[in-house]
Amino acid sequence: MEPTCCRFRTSTRRWGRFPISPAGLLTVGLPVLLAAIWSATPARASHEETPAWRLVKERCSLCHYLNRQEAKFAPSLQDLFKREKLRNGKPVNDQTVSEWIAEGSANMPSFRNTLTPEQIESIVNYLKDHPPLDPWR
Amino acid sequence: MTRNYQFLFVFLTLLGIVSCSAPSPSERFSIRGTVTAAEGPLEGAYIGARGGNSTFTTYVMTDGRGQFTFRNLAPGNYLVFTRISGFRTLEKENITVAEASGTTADFQVEPETDYMKLVEQASNSELLESFPGTQQEKEALFSRCDGCHGAYYIAKSRFTEKDWLLIVSKMKSAMTTPVGDISPPGRRGRTVEPGEEDYFRPGEERLRTDDESIAEYLARIRGPESPDFPIKFQARPTGELTRAVVTEYQIAREWTLPHDVLVDPRGRYVWYAEWRLNYFGRIDTETGEMKDYPIPGRDDRPPGFLTLNWDHEGNLWGGQLWSGRAVKFDVKAEKFLGSWDVPQEWARTGTVGVCRHAAHPDGPVWIDDALFGKHWILNPETGKAVEHDTKGSRFACDSKGNIYSLKHGEQGGVIKTEPGTRKMVEYIAPTPNADPHRLTLDGEENVWYGDWEHAKITYVDTQTGTVTEYDALTPWSRVYNAVGDAVRKIGWAVPHVSDRVMKADANTGQVVEFPLPSKGHAVRNVDIDMAANPPALWFVNQRNGRIVRFQEYVE
């Protein structure tokens, strides 16, 4: 038997017949067919999570608020790059923040064995450039 | 030949040119192809298809000959890709589907060798099965961590024992509620002391769930120098278990963590609530359009909702967690109608129950704070919420006004409370210490619920009073909620992180499970669309911010 999908007994919701009449097929279907063949547009979805966002969500936000001043399990990361110094006294820049993520601290695990240098760079860029988020994150 | 017939002749000729090679409408396919590996055609392999910029992706599986078929896709360009555990993902872009003719896309797949990609392909259950260590060590981990985090976080990490201890010990601080969310400043509990870590499974002393034991185990399996362990994937499905179609709708919002999903009784739309944001969302199942509805909440409280329910006028009610409110929303007018606070600062009012058939005579709106064991009955007209005593939590209401709620403990199960008299009838589960989490009523007003701890679908026949349990097949499962198809006498659930759909046939007692194409579901409630044929299930993929539709298909 031929493999099939989506041939349901009665429901036309979502999986039903494509609602087009024969006249519609002639007047609409043919141009659509030709247009579909001639204009090969990219099929990528534009609204999926970015890798950087996913890293920040999974690796930072469990312990840090990103847009609230108070501490969660650890100090807030809101406006991190607008601060003069980190808590270890070093100036806030790409290198010192990357080092902190890689080395950790007394209250933060070291991510050097978990994240690649490229992933750490990606997190730093996100923290530096991302617009404000919902205040409870 | 009249002019009309001449037109018809020309039309039919043109139609024949356009569709001369197309099969009849009932056999029309959009995309089909074969998936082959070195060992030959692959059965039970998922293939996805997503239209350009579409909000949703459709998946089907290959049959015994390695063939897949997408039918009735809208014309356009598609990205078609493989999603097969253990194999590298292959993509084909710009696969063009025309109205009148199908197209083909064949795939020759090779084993995946990138370890982190293999981890991403594994379900929570597969990772736990693959972890080195004893059953007891895994059970301790499952008890202590898995309800919130899932095994993937562990599998993707490498920390020293000192750092694992740092991470694990934070989970029992006053910042965390027993249900895993962050306590707001005004409602902090107390930090659990060393030696008290068994709070998820009190009394099970054989499990070493203290911080030090968990950290030592984690450092052994995922320390800086631990060898990568081989990942044991479950066998791909065969035969009837390959006959499913899955549609995933991607929510575009950052921080999305969808919780409850409900099918609109008027058809066409599906609604969901955000767990950590003050939003409702709507999916148009005909166009795929997704719409957001911001809902007011207290600015000084964490945002988010837990339950959604329909009232007898077709309005949606949501339990707004830390805002301590019940929220009413008019889905026809797409309008927020109001919210009502319970008379308690820092209430966590996740569960709001209303009756779908009529306003309940004892009070239209029932609100639970399950975390602190408080219950209120709300009259929205007066705005008054009165505290009441009940043995049960959660809420389902039948057409006679009987309220069904869930009861934990040694004699756990379902409590039925009759309207007016408040007379209670208990349906006790066969398994002691039942852990029911959410219940639904089927079309014949029998109760289905999920037993979280014991990973069961439980079915209560309200006519005979019999209680029947069905075990999930996949190890390391938990079941939050279950729904029933009263016509076919079938119960459905999507166990929390097993990434599988569970089907329990009450006629035969047989349980089967279908795999899902993606991982990270963390499913809470499941709704069933009985207007679809066969009925379709709706649930969330929480980690990936998606709303998922699952449906078996018939040939």
Side-chain angles (χ1 to χ4, degrees), chain A residues 2 4 10 22 37 45-46 50 62 68 81 113-114 125 130-131:
Chain A
E2 186 190 37
T4 61
T10 58
I37 291 167
S46 60
T50 62
L62 292 181
R68 287 178 66 78
F81 278 84
N113 298 304
T114 293
N125 287 337
H130 195 274

Side-chain angles (χ1 to χ4, degrees), chain B residues 33 151 165 171 180 214 316 345 380 386 394 401 405 407 439 501 504 517 554:
Chain B
L165 184 61
M171 300 303 117
I214 296 283
L316 203 55
E345 274 294 292
V386 180
R394 315 294 170 163
S405 56
K407 181 189 162 206
L439 74 164
V501 170
V554 293

Side-chain angles (χ1 to χ4, degrees), chain B residues 349-520:
Chain B
T349 52
T351 311
V352 167
V354 284
C355 285
R356 203 160 170 169
H357 305 281
H360 194 279
D362 298 339
V365 184
W366 300 62
I367 305 172
D368 283 354
D369 178 340
L371 189 57
F372 295 95
K374 289 283 188 75
H375 312 271
W376 296 270
I377 297 175
L378 167 73
N379 183 342
E381 287 183 13
T382 63
K384 198 171 175 190
V386 180
E387 201 171 326
H388 74 102
D389 236 356
T390 179
K391 285 191 193 171
S393 67
R394 315 294 170 163
F395 181 98
C397 181
D398 71 12
S399 58
K400 300 177 192 71
N402 294 309
I403 292 173
Y404 295 89
S405 56
L406 297 171
K407 181 189 162 206
H408 294 253
E410 195 168 339
Q411 297 276 298
V414 173
I415 302 171
K416 179 175 85 172
T417 306
E418 295 178 359
T421 64
R422 302 275 182 98
K423 183 186 162 196
M424 288 192 283
V425 179
E426 295 192 358
Y427 304 93
I428 307 300
T431 299
N433 295 309
D435 188 23
H437 268 229
R438 192 77 81 79
L439 74 164
T440 59
L441 297 181
D442 67 21
E444 292 180 2
E445 304 194 327
N446 298 306
V447 178
W448 298 82
Y449 72 78
D451 185 318
W452 176 258
E453 188 67 36
H454 304 97
K456 294 173 189 296
I457 289 177
T458 306
Y459 171 53
V460 181
D461 184 324
T462 52
Q463 299 300 308
T464 64
T466 54
V467 184
T468 313
E469 296 175 327
Y470 305 91
D471 292 311
L473 303 180
T474 299
W476 311 108
S477 292
R478 303 173 194 268
V479 182
Y480 186 88
N481 186 27
V483 289
D485 168 358
V487 178
R488 298 163 186 80
K489 293 280 178 213
I490 287 173
W492 294 92
V494 188
H496 180 235
V497 285
S498 71
D499 299 310
R500 298 175 92 80
V501 170
M502 176 183 172
K503 177 185 181 184
D505 189 329
N507 305 293
T508 63
Q510 188 192 27
V511 176
V512 294
E513 291 183 355
F514 296 81
L516 289 164
S518 299
K519 305 299 180 278

Side-chain angles (χ1 to χ4, degrees), chain B residues 79-257:
Chain B
L79 173 73
V80 183
F81 57 96
T82 61
R83 187 160 278 176
I84 315 163
S85 297
F87 291 90
R88 203 168 293 155
T89 297
L90 292 182
E91 296 181 348
K92 288 180 189 284
E93 292 192 54
N94 296 321
I95 300 294
T96 302
V97 171
E99 170 62 23
S101 63
T103 188
T104 59
D106 295 328
F107 294 91
Q108 176 79 36
V109 293
E110 294 177 354
E112 179 59 78
T113 52
D114 182 314
Y115 190 72
M116 279 302 134
K117 287 185 177 165
L118 288 168
V119 167
E120 288 282 359
Q121 291 179 353
S123 70
N124 201 64
S125 310
E126 288 166 334
L127 288 174
L128 270 161
E129 281 290 282
S130 306
F131 281 173
T134 66
Q135 182 74 8
Q136 266 182 252
E137 285 171 326
K138 294 186 200 184
E139 279 187 31
L141 194 67
F142 188 64
S143 164
R144 194 61 208 282
C145 312
D146 186 82
C148 300
H149 295 294
Y152 81 102
Y153 188 86
I154 294 163
K156 287 172 69 180
S157 303
R158 284 184 183 276
F159 295 114
T160 61
E161 186 172 341
K162 173 185 129 322
D163 280 353
W164 276 120
L165 184 61
L166 190 64
I167 295 165
V168 172
S169 61
K170 288 187 186 302
M171 300 303 117
K172 62 179 189 182
S173 83
M175 283 290 293
T176 312
T177 70
V179 290
D181 56 1
I182 300 298
S183 291
R187 249 335 249 289
R188 299 247 156 96
R190 70 179 181 87
T191 295
V192 176
E193 298 297 328
E196 293 184 321
E197 294 94 339
D198 273 336
Y199 51 89
F200 280 117
R201 272 194 198 180
E204 288 215 33
E205 289 174 10
R206 69 190 178 88
L207 294 183
R208 294 170 62 220
T209 55
D210 58 281
D211 292 353
E212 284 75 13
S213 298
I214 296 283
E216 185 276 322
Y217 175 56
L218 289 172
R220 194 161 12 107
I221 64 170
R222 294 307 282 165
E225 307 299 329
S226 308
D228 284 334
F229 49 84
I231 295 174
K232 301 170 192 165
F233 292 110
Q234 287 184 272
R236 286 189 308 279
T238 57
E240 290 188 359
L241 296 180
T242 66
R243 290 170 172 77
V245 60
V246 179
T247 314
E248 295 180 342
Y249 295 81
Q250 182 72 48
I251 300 170
R253 191 183 309 115
E254 283 186 344
W255 291 113
T256 181
L257 282 172

Side-chain angles (χ1 to χ4, degrees), chain A residues 1-11 13-15 18 20 22 25-26 30 32-33 36 39-48 53-54 57-59 61-62 65-66 70 72-73 106-111 113-114 126 130 133-134 136-137, chain B residues 11 15 26 32 50 52-54 56 60 63 65 67 69 71 77-79 91 94 98-99 152-153 156-159 163 166 170 173 175-176 182 224 247 249-250 254-255 268 276 285 299 301-303 529 531 533 543-544 549 551-555:
Chain A
M1 188 175 291
E2 186 190 37
T4 61
C5 152
C6 322
R7 195 192 311 159
F8 303 117
R9 282 191 283 261
T10 58
S11 173
R13 289 173 51 184
R14 175 109 208 88
W15 304 109
F18 191 71
I20 192 162
L25 180 65
L26 186 65
L30 190 55
V32 166
L33 169 68
S39 65
T41 54
R44 296 267 176 211
S46 60
H47 51 261
E48 297 205 321
W53 164 244
R54 184 144 199 153
K57 188 169 81 169
E58 288 185 354
R59 298 301 181 182
S61 73
L62 292 181
Y65 283 125
L66 296 174
E70 70 185 80
K72 201 173 180 184
F73 290 109
N107 191 41
M108 175 171 150
S110 155
F111 281 88
N113 298 304
T114 293
Y126 184 95
H130 195 274
L133 297 162
D134 181 281
W136 279 99
R137 296 300 102 195
Chain B
F11 168 74
L15 186 63
S26 64
R32 69 180 166 197
R50 184 173 64 228
N53 261 339
S54 171
F56 60 90
V60 296
D63 66 8
R65 294 175 298 173
Q67 292 187 343
T69 304
R71 293 185 181 278
N77 284 338
Y78 284 81
L79 173 73
E91 296 181 348
N94 296 321
E99 170 62 23
Y152 81 102
Y153 188 86
K156 287 172 69 180
S157 303
R158 284 184 183 276
F159 295 114
D163 280 353
L166 190 64
K170 288 187 186 302
S173 83
M175 283 290 293
T176 312
I182 300 298
T247 314
Y249 295 81
Q250 182 72 48
E254 283 186 344
W255 291 113
R268 182 163 177 167
R276 294 282 186 262
T285 62
D299 291 338
R301 299 285 190 269
D529 179 5
N533 189 5
R543 201 202 311 165
N544 293 296
R549 181 188 194 271
Q551 189 175 32
E552 286 184 283
Y553 64 83
V554 293
E555 294 179 313

